[in-house]
Structure formats: C-alpha cells, structure tokens
Amino acid sequence: MNKLIKMIISALLILCLALPLGACGKETAKKELPDFEDTDNITEFEVDWFVNVSYWKWPGEYGKDYLSDLLQRRTGAKINFQVSAGDSNTQIMTMIAGGTLPDIITCSDDIRYKMASGGYLWAYDDLIKKYSPELGEIVKQIPDIYDWYREYDQKVYGLPNYASSENYLKKDEKLNPNMAGVIRSDLYNKIGRPDISTPDAFLDALEQIKNKIGTYRGSELIPLQLYEFSTDGSPSMNALRGYFSVPFEDKDGHYIRHCDKEFQIYRFLNKAYNRGLLKIENFSDSRENINEKVTSGRVVSLFAAIQDFGTYMTSLYDSDNQAVYEPIIMKNYDGEDPLLADTSCYGYQTTSISTQAKRPDLCTKLITYLMSDQGQLEMLFGAQDETQYTINDKGNVVWTEGGNLWNAYAGGNAEAVKYYTLGFNLLTDYLRTRNYYAEATDQRSISTQSFYIQKPLQPYTYNGKRAILKSVPETEKKINYTKINAKINSYWGTQMVKIITAPSEEKARQYYDEGLQKEKEYGGEKLLAYQDECLQASKEMMGWEYAWPRNQKENTNVD
C-alpha cells in the first residue's frame, strides 16, 4: 500500500510539473490583498520562510543568538526557516499540490515565474501600494534591478539577493570576477612556480604537485576540484567558460549556445581526468564534501565562486598560515586572455511573498526592514549601540575596543562568539554595503577573503550583466522555453560527465558532437531562437549594441 501511495504522489508531481501551476494545488491567487487594522500594533508574529537552497543556513543558532533577537525586535517576526533537502523544485511543487505554501519563499527564477503566472505569489507593486510606501522608495533607488524582474503582466514578484545596481557603481570601476580559479600558493611555491599561463602548462604544474608532494597532513591531495555535479552539470563550467573565453554572441550580435571554444573546456577537463588530476569522486561530491576538502587542505586548485569558500579557507589558514590560495591567470588554447564575468548581476535567487501568507502586510514589513539601509547594516554588523561600533568618515564600520562584540572575540569565549554571529545574507545588496568594510591590513584577511584573493583578476573582467538574458514576458512562449531548456540541461548534465571521463580526446569529441545532435532533437534550434530574442531584449534594455565584450571592442572600439 505504501508503495502504491508513493507511486500516486510521484505521478501527481510529474503532472504538476508538466501543467501550468494554476491547474495544480488547492487555490490560486486572491484578486485583492486583504485589509488589516492592526498592522502597526502587532509586536510579534510567526513567519514560515522556505529557502530552496539546500546548503543555506542561518549564520548562528536561530532563536538563541543575538541576530535573531535583533530581527524580531525590529520587525516582530519570529521566523521558522525551512531549507530544501535538495536543489530541485520538488518540495515547492509538493507544497503547491497540497495547498501548504509558506509565507515567504526564496527560490530560483524559473519556479518563481511559474508560481507568479499560476497565481501563487503577490506582486510587490501591489504590496507596496497597499502596505509599504517605504519599500517603494527603496526600490526606486535600484530601477535597473527592480524593472528587470517585471513579468508577463509588468509586475514584480521577487526581490533578489546580491543584485548589483548600476546606481551604486563608480565611474570606470572594475569589479572582481564572480567565478574564478585559484591554486594553493604554498604547494605551487614548492615546485618552483613553473609557468601556468596555458591549459597544458597548468595541468603539468598540477601533475608535478601530485607526483612530488602528493599528500597534505597524511591525506592525498586533490589536484583539481570543481563544484558538485547535479542533473544540470557543474556550475564550475561557468568559471571555465570565462577562462576559455567562450562567447555567447556571434559577430553579428546573435546569441550562440555552442562553439569550438566550448569544446576546449571539455578537452582540458578530459586531459585532467585521464592524467588523474580530476578525481572520479568529484562527480558525486556534495557541497558539504567540497567544503570539508577545502578546510582539510587537500584541494590544490579550485574553479568556483571563491566567495563561497571564504569560511573554509579561513579555517585552513587558522591551522596553517602558509596554506593560502592565489588566482590563476590562464589563457585558452588559442592564446587569448580570459574574459571573466564580474559580480555585476541581477541577483542570485529571489524572495517572494506567497498568496497563502497568513499576514502579507507583516511579511511586507519584514522585507521592507531587510531592504532598508538600516536592515542592510544591522544584519551584517548588528545595532550600533549594541554590538558597539562607529562609522568613520570613509563610511567604514570601526568596532569599538572594549565593546560587546570586540570583547566576545578578544576574550576567546566560544559561546560569546557564537551568540554574536552576524551576517544574515538573504536580500543582501553587496554594492550598497561594501563601504562598511574597511580595507584589510591583517594578513589573515588578505589571505582568506575572496576580495583580496581575486583582485589581481580585475583586468580580465567584464560587466557580468552582459551575459544575462532578459526573459521575454510572454507566458506561453516562456513556459515552452522553460520545458525545452530543462530537458536539454538535464541531458547535458549527464553527457558532460561522459565527455569528461572519455578515454581519449577523440572519444570526448565524439560524445560532444553526439550531444550537439541530441540537443537539436530536443528542440535546441527553437531554444536558440528564443534565447536570441531574450538577448536582444537585454541589449535594448541596457542600451548595448553588442553584449560579448570582444564583439563590442571589435565593432565599436569601446573597451
């Protein structure tokens, strides 16, 4: 009987994934936001907040630490965080089917769009008008970001984390890459720092480290580490696309999905695998596995968003202050410099208020605080008179010697440090808050913080927004595109492993060509036409004639 029930549930979920979301679940959006007379008088309320990122965690111990207490005092919100068990949308689909959506949802663009079009999310435009003119003033400061998220009905249903508004960039400012490669300096030094400026030279250096050093603290070294592989492949492919300068636009300004430079990535990884530098275990690693490997000091080189690993690099440094990383500057097989997308972006994941929220007015009040200047500051540093700090004339936070947080860390009291753990990052705006951080002068910070590790790569970066496609807001077309894209991505997620682990470069090329043919069979040409339409919409919105930086330079003489 249990097996039968599981089969029925699975079938229903598959049906829901195939249908518009309005056809699933117990109810769709209410037409009008409800009125509440006690919004300003409520001092405590419970909120269910689902985060569809399996590795996300509250920075401390929610309900027992300072930051959760501060957030509740500021907003009245007592939050029940629920974190996805995996990185698919299955749990959200299950909640929709059962009519049990939480109050607030943090999720990716694809499922947010489906929920919005199915009537399961309130539009921020309506929430602002009904409950929070203050939030309206905040989003006016980031019009390029807010308008980017307008959907088919020209309304906004999600606010992003880590978005970068042009309004907060200085003229001609260069930012760090969003993803990059790094190598352990101490191990690289031990083999005499040979040339690593080409793919083959880099692999030769890794092989030297493997053969001449081999272990660290008694454990086998991992010469090349990538992010975890999921059904869609590994995010590290995005970092490598930058190193191998793989264009997403042809010289005529049209979107392209594949080209010969893309195969250079597979050629590189296939060589690494067959030389024993990329381990088979990488294909089954979880993010937690990778974090542990970095902490243990086993990872020689890593291609990823380096900011994701700051905590683990710091832990390694604290146990061995020689174990530090430096950036990799490597050309592609054609001798071209890398072109790395910088941290300018429209955000990672978005946060929405569901139409099943018990109190959308109070949820909006919570979001308003988190998006405000006060909330941005306090979620990173605490209340000024409580954790105790000043802000100098450069806008930097300066901790007060002898203050509460200073004493917690200076005294080495583990419980006090745990209590004052800061850094709630949902809805964080990096560019708006970066001036709070003073330039580091201590070697620990310089050696472990991604900003300093990646800074030498700034000459090789370009505005990351150029690589982001603006979804064309036509419901049926977007739904069809999403289905085709999901099917193709899932196929490549499996095929890329087959290519990388092929016994020879010739076989790898054969499997790559098979993949291109299979993509056509899955509707790749329709997907390409849609993505080109999206690219043109992106360029029109940003006022760009070309998106790929080398096209821009070659065609307009603008760097």
Side-chain angles (χ1 to χ4, degrees), residues 107-382:
C107 62
S108 60
D109 290 353
D110 58 340
I111 191 64
R112 185 202 66 247
Y113 169 76
K114 289 179 181 178
M115 287 192 289
S117 59
Y120 293 96
L121 301 178
W122 290 117
Y124 275 104
D125 310 72
D126 299 330
L127 293 165
I128 286 168
K129 186 176 180 180
K130 185 80 171 179
Y131 304 128
S132 182
E134 298 86 356
L135 183 57
E137 293 303 311
I138 293 169
V139 299
K140 280 181 183 177
Q141 304 304 311
I142 51 169
D144 52 332
I145 301 300
Y146 192 70
D147 289 344
W148 180 266
Y149 284 97
R150 293 199 182 280
E151 293 287 3
Y152 64 97
D153 59 357
Q154 292 303 303
K155 292 185 177 181
V156 175
Y157 291 87
L159 293 176
N161 314 302
Y162 299 119
S164 309
S165 173
E166 300 293 310
N167 286 0
Y168 293 115
L169 281 173
K170 300 168 187 173
K171 186 179 180 182
D172 300 324
E173 182 176 9
K174 295 288 281 184
L175 297 177
N176 276 2
N178 185 46
M179 303 185 81
V182 293
I183 186 170
R184 275 273 296 274
S185 295
D186 54 328
L187 303 178
Y188 183 36
N189 290 337
K190 284 183 179 180
I191 61 167
R193 299 184 67 83
D195 174 47
I196 58 171
S197 64
T198 67
D200 287 339
F202 176 71
L203 294 180
D204 288 343
L206 293 186
E207 191 159 34
Q208 283 193 58
I209 292 172
K210 175 191 172 189
N211 293 336
K212 292 181 179 180
I213 303 172
T215 62
Y216 179 76
R217 293 176 171 171
S219 296
E220 182 183 4
L221 287 169
I222 301 168
L224 176 58
Q225 179 70 52
L226 306 178
Y227 268 130
E228 67 279 3
F229 282 73
S230 68
T231 53
D232 292 345
S234 171
S236 290
M237 295 298 285
N238 292 325
L240 290 165
R241 291 182 75 87
Y243 275 96
F244 286 88
S245 192
V246 181
F248 52 83
E249 179 189 51
D250 66 21
K251 293 184 184 299
D252 295 322
H254 295 293
Y255 191 76
I256 53 177
R257 286 181 52 80
H258 303 286
C259 64
D260 286 339
K261 281 192 175 71
E262 182 184 54
F263 182 71
Q264 290 189 17
I265 301 173
Y266 289 110
R267 177 184 173 192
F268 171 73
L269 294 177
N270 178 251
K271 286 185 176 185
Y273 177 78
N274 285 318
R275 293 171 69 171
L277 306 175
L278 177 63
K279 304 291 186 180
I280 190 69
E281 292 82 7
N282 200 152
F283 301 106
S284 57
D285 273 338
S286 66
R287 181 65 64 88
E288 290 72 20
N289 293 149
I290 300 169
N291 294 343
E292 185 278 326
K293 289 175 180 179
V294 172
T295 303
S296 70
R298 296 179 60 205
V299 174
V300 178
S301 68
L302 172 70
F303 287 89
I306 306 306
Q307 56 271 26
D308 286 353
F309 297 93
T311 299
Y312 312 104
M313 290 179 177
T314 301
S315 296
L316 174 60
Y317 179 90
D318 288 341
S319 65
D320 177 3
N321 63 13
Q322 299 301 305
V324 299
Y325 288 87
E326 63 180 81
I328 296 164
I329 302 175
M330 181 180 74
K331 301 175 185 290
N332 64 16
Y333 284 108
D334 296 328
E336 295 174 322
D337 285 335
L339 268 177
L340 307 173
D342 69 17
T343 52
S344 296
C345 66
Y346 295 103
Y348 170 68
Q349 306 278 338
T350 59
T351 295
S352 305
I353 297 175
S354 87
T355 53
Q356 293 177 22
K358 299 178 287 294
R359 292 293 301 257
D361 58 329
L362 299 178
C363 290
T364 306
K365 177 182 174 183
L366 169 61
I367 298 297
T368 300
Y369 167 75
L370 291 172
M371 289 286 290
S372 70
D373 288 341
Q374 180 186 8
Q376 294 282 306
L377 173 64
E378 291 185 340
M379 289 298 98
L380 295 174
F381 299 96

Side-chain angles (χ1 to χ4, degrees), residues 249 252-255 469 531-541 544-545:
E249 179 189 51
D252 295 322
H254 295 293
Y255 191 76
L469 300 179
Q531 289 178 321
D532 185 52
E533 189 177 350
C534 293
L535 177 66
Q536 306 314 318
S538 300
K539 291 190 291 185
E540 182 179 357
M541 180 175 179
W544 293 329
E545 185 176 0

